[in-house]
Amino acid sequence: MGLQELPLYHPAYWPTWLGLAFMRLLSLLPLPVLWVLGSVLGAFFHLFPSKIKETALINVGLCFPELGKEGQASLVRRHFRSLGVSIICYGLGWWSSASRLSRLVKMRDRHHYDDAIAAGKSIIVFAPHFLALDISGIMLSSERLYISMYRASRNRLIDRMLKKRARYGAVLFERKSNLKALIRHLREGRPFYYLPDQDPGSAESVFVPFFGVPAATVTALSRIAKMTNAAVIPCYNRILPWGRGFEVRFEEPLVDFPSGDLEKDARRMNEEIEKAVRQNPEQYLWGYRRFKTRPAGSPPVY
């Protein structure tokens, strides 16, 4: 019997229950304490070989060849410290009150977002995979009804916790879901917190450069924007140093997007993500196998 068929009280789930109980206790601590604990945890895990570390080194090597081996290794070390903080702080998004979240998450250039709402536009909040994206997305959804995404887990208990992105009434869509219901909710005025930088496989993507490397890239952003006439507003999340909180930075809506050319739009989307990553490279999700799907005839990179 697989894990999905087992009851949640089964011993196979006990380690998950224990881990969640620990995260719940951590969520009660002051953020500066969590920042120190997370930095130490990340530095500790960086000492040992792991698939995440191997993937991060490969990705950083492909995307930042100009840094050289020493600079790339330094970036991955800093990334692991930020990754440790993000893991330690995960429970804040799941259990903190809306008032605490509003104190922890600081908004920057929010007028780009508020102006689009005031104008009655459909809104796609374009949020690439920076490490603070979950807590920031939950904070935004505490203000108004949202649409968000998640990837289903085979561990039913973890799956339940991932669905806490909807704790304030957000409508959740598994990333492979049909778009029809999502389009309806967007047209009804719910902003869509969209995570665009995933490898969807070659059947659902076009190959366009990401840091100069051909990457299987989703075309859904421009298709959804066209169907809903939505404003696409870049939103970049950052963990502030020394436990000073989290930052959500908005940029002005993308101009002339979508263009009507799916490949051109996918290329532009990757260019926008690249610019944001260069401003905050250690907090991008380098442990994700972004280049798993390769063009025909190209060797695997992982």
Side-chain angles (χ1 to χ4, degrees):
M1 182 181 292
L3 192 62
Q4 290 178 310
E5 288 76 37
L6 296 174
L8 293 181
Y9 56 79
H10 190 277
Y13 278 106
W14 290 358
T16 306
W17 279 114
L18 184 62
L20 290 175
F22 182 61
M23 292 182 70
R24 180 67 180 99
L25 291 174
L26 286 174
S27 73
L28 303 175
L29 296 176
L31 189 55
V33 175
L34 294 177
W35 190 90
V36 172
L37 290 175
S39 296
V40 172
L41 178 69
F44 176 76
F45 280 121
H46 179 266
L47 295 174
F48 305 97
S50 66
K51 288 185 178 180
I52 292 177
K53 182 177 177 180
E54 180 184 3
T55 300
L57 285 167
I58 292 170
N59 284 338
V60 168
L62 289 170
C63 295
F64 291 98
E66 69 275 12
L67 292 181
K69 294 295 184 183
E70 186 175 338
Q72 293 162 10
S74 175
L75 174 53
V76 172
R77 280 196 300 273
R78 300 197 309 274
H79 169 68
F80 262 72
R81 290 198 292 271
S82 294
L83 180 62
V85 175
S86 72
I87 293 170
I88 287 289
C89 291
Y90 229 94
L92 293 175
W94 290 346
W95 290 296
S96 292
S97 66
S99 60
R100 187 183 185 196
L101 286 175
S102 68
R103 293 193 301 271
L104 295 179
V105 181
K106 300 168 176 59
M107 303 288 184
R108 181 176 164 193
D109 297 328
R110 183 184 171 126
H111 62 279
H112 297 306
Y113 172 70
D114 289 338
D115 290 349
I117 290 174
K121 286 183 167 291
S122 297
I123 297 172
I124 299 174
V125 178
F126 169 79
H129 277 81
F130 287 94
L131 296 177
L133 68 87
D134 247 76
I135 190 168
S136 300
I138 291 171
M139 165 59 197
L140 287 170
S141 72
S142 72
E143 299 181 340
R144 56 178 36 83
L145 295 176
Y146 248 73
I147 310 165
S148 190
M149 301 173 63
Y150 86 109
R151 182 175 181 174
S153 171
R154 286 177 293 182
N155 183 317
R156 288 194 296 124
L157 190 50
I158 294 295
D159 197 64
R160 284 190 179 188
M161 300 312 297
L162 292 175
K163 288 178 179 177
K164 276 189 170 286
R165 289 179 179 178
R167 60 181 292 208
Y168 291 111
V171 175
L172 277 185
F173 285 88
E174 210 282 331
R175 70 185 185 96
K176 295 182 180 180
S177 298
N178 187 284
L179 294 179
K180 288 183 179 180
L182 187 152
I183 297 298
R184 184 180 72 252
H185 285 297
L186 247 175
R187 287 172 174 164
E188 291 172 351
R190 288 181 180 244
F192 177 27
Y193 195 71
Y194 181 48
L195 287 52
D197 46 337
Q198 303 180 66
D199 184 334
S202 57
E204 306 171 36
S205 62
V206 294
F207 284 98
V208 292
F210 183 57
F211 283 94
V213 182
T217 303
V218 294
T219 59
L221 177 63
S222 57
R223 291 188 284 116
I224 295 170
K226 181 178 180 180
M227 285 187 280
T228 59
N229 194 29
V232 178
I233 302 177
C235 172
Y236 305 123
N237 303 290
R238 184 163 71 100
I239 303 168
L240 298 175
W242 297 105
R244 296 204 301 267
F246 306 89
E247 180 184 83
V248 178
R249 176 171 60 86
F250 296 100
E251 293 191 353
E252 60 183 275
L254 299 184
V255 179
D256 298 325
F257 189 95
S259 68
D261 182 327
L262 291 178
E263 184 170 330
K264 179 181 176 181
D265 290 343
R267 183 183 297 268
R268 183 177 177 193
M269 182 182 81
N270 281 357
E271 289 170 353
E272 295 292 334
I273 298 170
E274 279 184 42
K275 287 191 295 184
V277 171
R278 290 187 184 279
Q279 294 174 25
N280 185 22
E282 66 273 10
Q283 292 191 27
Y284 191 62
L285 192 64
W286 294 115
Y288 175 67
R289 295 196 292 172
R290 181 65 185 87
F291 306 108
K292 179 181 178 180
T293 303
R294 304 287 288 151
S298 298
V301 298
Y302 304 115

